[in-house]
Amino acid sequence: MIRVFFSFPVSADFTSAVWQQVSGQPLLEAYPQENLHVTLQFIGGVTEGVVARLVPMAQRIAAGFAPFSFTPSGWYVANDRLRLAMQSPEAVAVNQIIRQELAAMHVGRPDERAYQPHLTVGRPQPLFTPTTLSLPVATKCPVTEFGLYQSERGDHGMGTYTLLHHFVL
């Protein structure tokens, strides 16, 4: 079994703009830049056979969408993580279709929560407040693809993500 998820990669320019806001912040353990992404749908532990079934499904979904952009809309802390809210009706639409397809395939756990795209950037200590942060200078984050990633436990509880397949919009 391997743990997998779908995610939108974040451009290097946008990642740098976010990193300028969070690196060096007291009371915040920022994630490495290479870990920054916008989760599209967590799936969980699956077999290689299920991964093989996910690829054509994702290719079909990606073919139905044109490139779009995320707009960052604000910082917040949830589940002991600092997050940057990322607005995009297209991302929500992609997520809804993926959820429907996964349910039809009986893959993953159903998630009744509304999809709220965000960039998780670090672990704040209890006294940290995101009001000290500004929105990134880059006001848009272009999206031209999404990927299927494998998640493995890394050092210090930090995940290591490996791209298995990418799907161009």
Side-chain angles (χ1 to χ4, degrees), residues 1-2 4 6 43 45-62 97-108 146 148 164-165 167:
M1 297 283 270
I2 59 173
V4 297
F6 286 112
I43 299 170
V46 297
T47 65
E48 293 287 340
V50 170
V51 170
R53 291 175 40 218
L54 292 173
V55 172
M57 176 204 78
Q59 288 171 329
R60 189 174 62 256
I61 293 169
I97 294 170
I98 286 178
R99 285 182 181 201
Q100 291 168 355
E101 293 279 339
L102 291 173
M105 294 170 65
H106 304 287
V107 172
F146 65 90
L148 179 63
L164 301 176
H165 298 279
F167 310 99

Side-chain angles (χ1 to χ4, degrees), residues 117-130:
H118 62 273
L119 190 67
T120 303
V121 298
R123 294 181 181 152
Q125 293 179 16
L127 296 177
F128 177 83
T129 176

Side-chain angles (χ1 to χ4, degrees), residues 88-100:
S88 168
E90 296 90 349
V92 172
V94 174
N95 172 266
Q96 289 172 340
I97 294 170
I98 286 178
R99 285 182 181 201
Q100 291 168 355

Side-chain angles (χ1 to χ4, degrees), residues 2-84:
I2 59 173
R3 288 172 40 100
V4 297
F5 64 96
F6 286 112
S7 178
F8 295 110
V10 180
S11 71
D13 289 343
F14 193 82
T15 300
S16 293
V18 168
W19 190 252
Q20 287 176 2
Q21 291 294 316
V22 299
S23 66
Q25 283 286 322
L27 306 176
L28 176 67
E29 179 186 353
Y31 291 158
Q33 282 182 283
E34 62 271 12
N35 276 24
L36 299 184
H37 64 274
V38 177
T39 300
L40 175 53
Q41 181 65 45
F42 179 75
I43 299 170
V46 297
T47 65
E48 293 287 340
V50 170
V51 170
R53 291 175 40 218
L54 292 173
V55 172
M57 176 204 78
Q59 288 171 329
R60 189 174 62 256
I61 293 169
F65 287 86
F68 59 89
S69 293
F70 281 114
T71 302
S73 60
W75 296 98
Y76 66 102
V77 175
N79 299 324
D80 298 323
R81 302 292 187 268
L82 175 64
R83 297 176 177 183
L84 176 60

